[in-house]
Amino acid sequence: MKVTFKIWRQAHSDAKGEFKPYEVNGLTEDMSFLEALDHLNEHLVRSNEKVIAYEYDCREGICGQCGLFINGRAHGPHPHMTTCQLHMRSFKNGDTIIVEPWRAKAFPVIKDLIVDRSAFDRIIEQGGFISAQTGTAAEANSILIGKKVADKAMDAAACIGCGACVATCKNASAALFTSAKINHLNSLPQGHQEANKRAIEMTAQMELEGFGSCTFTGACEVECPERIPITNIAEMNARRTKAKWMG
């Protein structure tokens, strides 16, 4: 299998980037997309060229590090999938595949296909945790949580923080990510004590980071690998409004 990759190359954040074409032979349909990039990098090493920088870790669709924009779509041509789960069978022999990093002001390019997603970390630092006494483990059933509440919290907690919601949103909004993190903890009794503070401070940090506003186009929901619904955003907005009214 032979394809042409048109890949965004950028030496560092302040450098001017450009797309550079690479013809790649010897691929198979069973290769993952990241294995195809590995194959290209091996060729670049043998040619004494600079390899393409891109992120990955688990290669199992869990860690969220592998985010790429492929042919104009976050994570590639399929919905609800991470880049590492994408295989070359999704493309045809002779295809030209355009690969670029996430595009958002709050996600500056570090090098080539790697962007700085530390803005997400700073949002989490403003409330993505609960304050709890440490020491002896509590009895597992000391706080009973109904299945409906537990399921709702777990669905929101499934967010892997890949940033596809930001990359695909025309406003580069982080509302889906932030709402998932807020609603995960605010739904549980352990998170009720700091619920109002969490809703205000995490959304405030989201705005400080330069993410755009949500206009409910739903693109984030379509591309989210974990199928986080945009109803989380409506719930986050309601929680924030209530928290501000309560002072």
Side-chain angles (χ1 to χ4, degrees), residues 69 103 163-174 212-215 217 219-220:
F69 228 67
R103 301 292 188 182
C165 52
V166 175
T168 197
C169 176
K170 65 179 183 180
N171 303 323
S173 170
S213 299
C214 173
T215 50
T217 62
C220 56

Side-chain angles (χ1 to χ4, degrees), residues 10-241:
Q10 186 171 340
H12 52 81
S13 297
D14 297 325
K16 183 179 180 181
E18 63 177 350
F19 284 105
K20 191 170 181 180
Y22 299 93
E23 286 192 358
V24 184
N25 284 295
L27 304 177
T28 69
E29 292 184 344
D30 293 328
M31 279 184 172
S32 73
F33 193 83
L34 295 186
E35 286 174 328
L37 292 181
D38 289 340
H39 185 80
L40 170 56
N41 272 343
E42 289 172 4
H43 172 74
L44 294 177
V45 169
R46 290 193 296 269
S47 303
N48 273 333
E49 295 184 52
K50 291 183 178 180
V51 298
I52 296 152
Y54 63 95
E55 286 190 290
Y56 64 89
D57 189 4
C58 71
R59 297 202 178 203
E60 295 179 351
I62 298 171
C63 72
Q65 297 302 302
C66 62
L68 298 174
F69 228 67
I70 302 167
N71 285 345
R73 189 167 182 182
H75 289 304
H78 306 299
H80 311 304
M81 178 183 286
T82 56
T83 301
C84 65
Q85 295 173 304
L86 179 66
H87 286 76
M88 294 307 294
R89 68 177 69 98
S90 298
F91 305 96
K92 297 178 181 178
N93 186 48
D95 274 358
T96 295
I97 305 171
I98 301 172
V99 189
E100 55 189 313
W102 290 159
R103 301 292 188 182
K105 179 182 177 182
F107 286 167
V109 173
I110 296 175
K111 184 177 181 180
D112 294 340
L113 303 175
I114 299 177
V115 300
D116 181 357
R117 285 177 286 189
S118 61
F120 274 5
D121 297 328
R122 291 188 289 274
I123 292 172
I124 293 294
E125 289 169 2
Q126 296 304 311
F129 53 86
I130 60 170
S131 298
Q133 297 290 336
T134 58
T136 305
E139 165 59 37
N141 292 323
S142 60
I143 301 178
L144 297 178
I145 303 173
K147 186 178 186 304
K148 185 176 181 180
V149 172
D151 287 347
K152 177 183 177 182
M154 288 299 293
D155 287 345
C159 171
I160 59 176
C162 67
C165 52
V166 175
T168 197
C169 176
K170 65 179 183 180
N171 303 323
S173 170
L176 192 66
F177 164 82
T178 306
S179 65
K181 300 305 180 183
I182 290 173
N183 294 337
H184 160 216
L185 296 176
N186 282 15
S187 298
L188 297 170
Q190 293 91 336
H192 287 178
Q193 181 177 345
E194 299 163 306
N196 290 342
K197 183 173 183 288
R198 180 179 297 114
I200 291 174
E201 294 189 356
M202 289 183 71
T203 53
Q205 186 65 40
M206 174 182 68
E207 293 169 358
L208 283 174
E209 294 295 339
F211 291 106
S213 299
C214 173
T215 50
F216 286 94
T217 62
C220 56
E221 183 181 66
V222 172
E223 302 297 0
C224 176
E226 298 300 325
R227 302 172 185 262
I228 307 293
I230 59 173
T231 51
N232 278 280
I233 301 174
E235 184 173 344
M236 174 187 71
N237 292 339
R239 289 184 184 277
R240 178 176 58 179
T241 300

